[in-house]
Each structure stands twice: as C-alpha cells, then as structure tokens.
Amino acid sequence: MRIDFTCFANTKFPLVITPQSGSDIPTMGPWLNKADDQKKWLKEKLLEHGAILFRGFHVQSATAMHAFCDAIDAQLMDYPRGTSPRTEVGQQVYTSTEVPHNLPLPIHTEMSYTSVYPRALAFCCVIPSQQGGETPLADMKKVLERLPAQIVKEFEDKGILYHQYCPSGHNNKRFKTWQDMFATEDRKVAEQKCAEQNVTIEWLKDGSAKLTNSGMAIRQHPKTGERIWFNQAHVFHPSMSAEFRYIGRPVMAWLVRQYEFLLENFSGLMPPYPYGVTFGDGSIIPREYILAIRKAIWAETVKFEWQQGDLLLVDNLRLGHGRLPFKGKRKILAALIKSL
C-alpha cells in the first residue's frame, strides 16, 4: 500500500498519513506488518512531530484500535487512579472521556499527576460530533519555553502536591468516585493501590476519600532528553473560568469566576472543591502563575476536526491534549500505551 503524509497548514503536528488515491488496501494493518522498517519509521516520525493522525484507514472500533496497537508493538495499560469518567469498551480500550458535552476538558498530559503515566496515547473516532468536540493538542516543550523563569524555578524547587476528593458511589458524571477509580468496593484494596503509587488516602465521615500525592513539574523526554512541562497543576487548580474565556464563552467564564471567588474567600462555607493543588511544601501557588500556565498552553495549541475512522497517536511526554465542548453525538475511543 502506498501512503501520503503531510501536516495541516502552518503546524508541525499532527503529521497526517493517508492512503494514496487508488490504494487497494483500506486498512493500515498490512502496511504496518510488512516490515520492521515501517514501525521504526513510524516511531521516528512520532518523535519528530509529537502526534500522527491516520486518516482514511477506517479505524472505528475497539477491535481495530487493538489491532493497530498490536501492529506497532504497543503495550497497553489500565487507567489506575484516573480522574476522568470513562467506560472500558474493550480490553484496555476506553471511551476517551464522559465529561458533560458542554464543558471543556483542559489540555493536559495524561496522568502526569501520578507516578504511573502512559508513554503514548491512541484515539480513534467512531462518531464525530456535529459541532465542536475537537481534541486540541499543545507542544509542552514549547509551553515550558514560554513560561517566565521565576515560575519555572519555583515549581522545580518546590515540586507539586496534588489533593483530590473522591465521592462514594458509582457512575458520577462529574467526578470519579473512589469505587470506580480503583475498581473495588473494598477500602483496603483502594489503600493498597494508593500505596503502590505513593498516594496517601484519608477516609472522610461522608464516605468519600481524600487523596494526596507529590509530583514533579518537569520531566525529561525518555528518547530525546528534552525538558517537558509535565504536570497537571492547572487542571487541579480552581481556575476553570480561564478555559471558558479561551474557548469564547465569556458569560460562562464570568459565572464560574464568581464560584471561584467564593472558594477563595469563603472556603469554610463551601462544599470542598474536588481538586486542589499547592507547592510541594504546602504553600499556595499564586493564581497568576496558573493563569500564565494556561496562557502558555493555549499559545502552543493546534486543533483539527475529527472524521469518522480517524486514528490519532500522541506522544504523551511531548504533547498535551484536551477536548472542546460539542453538540450532537460524539464517540472517541482511547487506549493508554505503557511502552512503544
């Protein structure tokens, strides 16, 4: 099978690979399985561009995604202590996120708040939304370069402390329950899984769990050695109003900012916010630092419209990803790749 490859206008990523017109093979499996040179070339291109979009190969099921991951020798992993609500639809293949359609999912590096994170990610489009629903991508190496030196130094010197409140129950569409997060009803099993990830768990009177763990702000890319902004400080911080501004919804941004103001000034009267973040020594991260991080991320962001059958391969230690609000049905599947 012959292929073409290019990039969208004025962007380096994702690299777009399509079958040449007249190709008689509608799937990528035979091409990938043809020789190890194909896989080597693919991995080199992923390092160069950070993401590869396969378009026109009709990958639109958990089975097809699994076949692709097998073809490139990708070792998949589970979703331990994941914060986003999602459903497993095949062996280690999940819905990408079940966050309500009218909310943006901030651009982030997957599970960078934990010590167990995927090396890469694969997404495939089963049903593209009628409007919106893009998966924006941001170059986290360039995000680090954009950040003021003082912010970077303080994060590197102090580290990060993440706090998370997990309600009790099942199928909470807003926040992950501890039972769904750890796939158990047994507190001792949850405690064991936390211990394996160096997470402190505290049981609260209402049956919810408070999780606390430390994290790094910057990591070296395992292949290139480049320094990457690799954390979720901005995701855990109560400043979502900024995300609504960046996607052009000023009224919602204003409403969410009022809620944030109450959290900042009357926290004792408010129910606990499900996420929290401080510096590693427990000191407060200034709000202006977090806003500078969000600004840098959006300055390095590109987006594209999904087409049915698209498959997107992302280097999780190079690019962050998110999700924009959407209308209509949308189904994107995701797989977490432990090694590649």
Side-chain angles (χ1 to χ4, degrees), residues 114-177:
T114 75
S115 59
V116 183
Y117 50 83
R119 171 70 181 79
L121 308 167
F123 300 92
C124 77
C125 179
V126 180
I127 303 174
S129 57
Q130 296 175 5
Q131 180 180 335
E134 298 93 339
T135 297
L137 302 171
D139 188 330
M140 304 310 283
K141 173 179 176 287
K142 291 188 176 181
V143 167
L144 176 58
E145 294 170 354
R146 276 185 176 271
L147 289 173
Q150 175 59 32
I151 293 179
V152 174
K153 183 178 187 305
E154 202 160 349
F155 269 95
E156 281 200 285
D157 290 347
K158 296 181 178 180
I160 299 170
L161 200 61
Y162 296 101
H163 311 274
Q164 184 179 1
Y165 292 91
C166 303
S168 180
H170 291 283
N171 301 319
N172 188 315
K173 291 298 183 182
R174 294 190 63 209
F175 308 115
K176 204 75 170 282
T177 67

Side-chain angles (χ1 to χ4, degrees), residues 215-338:
M216 300 169 61
I218 298 169
R219 290 191 182 273
Q220 271 195 324
H221 194 286
K223 297 292 185 181
T224 66
E226 296 169 319
R227 282 160 50 88
I228 306 295
W229 186 254
F230 192 76
N231 64 78
Q232 288 196 23
H234 66 296
V235 177
F236 278 66
H237 188 273
S239 51
M240 271 293 292
S241 57
E243 293 294 316
F244 285 102
R245 287 201 305 275
Y246 282 115
I247 64 172
R249 296 175 63 183
V251 175
M252 192 66 180
W254 182 86
L255 290 172
V256 174
R257 183 66 190 109
Q258 307 316 300
Y259 172 65
E260 294 167 358
F261 176 83
L262 293 175
L263 285 174
E264 293 164 2
N265 295 278
F266 304 98
S267 58
L269 303 177
M270 301 287 290
Y273 188 69
Y275 304 105
V277 64
T278 62
F279 281 123
D281 60 3
S283 59
I284 293 174
I285 301 175
R287 182 181 175 87
E288 56 266 28
Y289 283 18
I290 298 296
L291 295 182
I293 293 167
R294 292 187 187 274
K295 181 179 180 180
I297 289 173
W298 276 100
E300 296 297 341
T301 293
V302 300
K303 62 181 181 178
F304 65 93
E305 293 184 0
W306 283 106
Q307 294 182 13
Q308 189 175 46
D310 280 351
L311 185 139
L312 178 68
L313 184 64
V314 179
D315 184 339
N316 190 45
L317 278 101
R318 176 64 186 276
L319 299 185
H321 67 282
R323 191 211 67 189
L324 298 183
F326 65 93
K327 294 181 179 180
K329 292 183 178 180
R330 177 186 188 270
K331 187 174 184 179
I332 307 294
L333 302 183
L336 282 62
I337 298 173
K338 183 178 182 180

